[in-house]
Amino acid sequence: MAGGTQDPSVWPLPKFQFSVNMNGQTVSFQEVTGLDIEAQIIEYRAGDSPAWSTVKMPGIRKFGNVTFKKGIFVHDNRFWTWFDTIKMNTVPRTPLTISLLDQTGQATMVWTLANAWPTKITGTDLKSDGNEVAVESIEVAHEGLTIANP
């Protein structure tokens, strides 16, 4: 805050402890990105306006896709199974919940994605001299993002 002082006993939330709930089941992830929303801009100018510029108004909201990354485990094909539910112009849609947790494991912020469905899966890269964990990602489209502070 401009001109104010920060209470030294209040700290920003760390982002490294979180949980994801898909269909009532907690799934462990390494990373979640894309929790964003934007209002598209409508530009308008009346022909008899004395101003030589447009007026900008808020338009339709647009939600970005959310990407989840996790390590690959033996016999864990749940992303591919979910992706296989996509049929011609139909796919089962489900709410997804992402919770930012405090040091006791309690939710401090909760993002809920409405009508989520998988739009892209990326398998791991393979490297003969690599020394990393195999990681896959799934990109999820959705129709709304709400944020709550429990």
Side-chain angles (χ1 to χ4, degrees):
M1 293 187 278
T5 58
Q6 177 68 38
D7 181 349
S9 66
V10 178
W11 295 90
L13 296 169
K15 64 180 184 176
F16 59 81
Q17 189 168 0
F18 58 93
S19 69
V20 178
N21 189 294
M22 301 172 117
N23 294 323
Q25 182 180 19
T26 300
V27 181
S28 297
F29 288 98
Q30 176 186 13
E31 183 178 340
V32 177
T33 58
L35 296 171
D36 56 50
I37 180 174
E38 76 177 83
Q40 294 182 344
I41 298 171
I42 299 171
E43 293 193 37
Y44 175 79
R45 182 182 176 277
D48 59 353
S49 172
W52 289 49
S53 62
T54 58
V55 174
K56 295 184 180 184
M57 302 174 286
I60 294 174
R61 289 184 177 184
K62 181 179 178 183
F63 305 98
N65 292 345
V66 178
T67 301
F68 300 87
K69 293 183 179 181
K70 72 173 194 60
I72 297 176
F73 294 89
V74 176
H75 306 298
D76 181 7
N77 295 329
R78 74 181 92 192
F79 286 174
W80 300 94
T81 303
W82 190 22
F83 193 82
D84 282 343
T85 64
I86 298 173
K87 304 296 180 217
M88 174 84 74
N89 200 25
T90 62
V91 62
R93 298 162 190 258
T94 185
L96 297 180
T97 305
I98 301 112
S99 300
L100 183 61
L101 308 176
D102 65 13
Q103 67 274 10
T104 66
Q106 298 300 309
T108 58
M109 288 185 75
V110 178
W111 294 265
T112 302
L113 309 179
N115 299 324
W117 57 277
T119 183
K120 179 181 179 182
I121 297 175
T122 304
T124 189
D125 61 334
L126 303 171
K127 190 179 349 174
S128 65
D129 63 347
N131 193 24
E132 301 92 21
V133 170
V135 175
E136 66 182 343
S137 66
I138 185 167
E139 188 174 321
V140 175
H142 62 94
E143 297 172 349
L145 172 65
T146 57
I147 301 172
N149 295 46

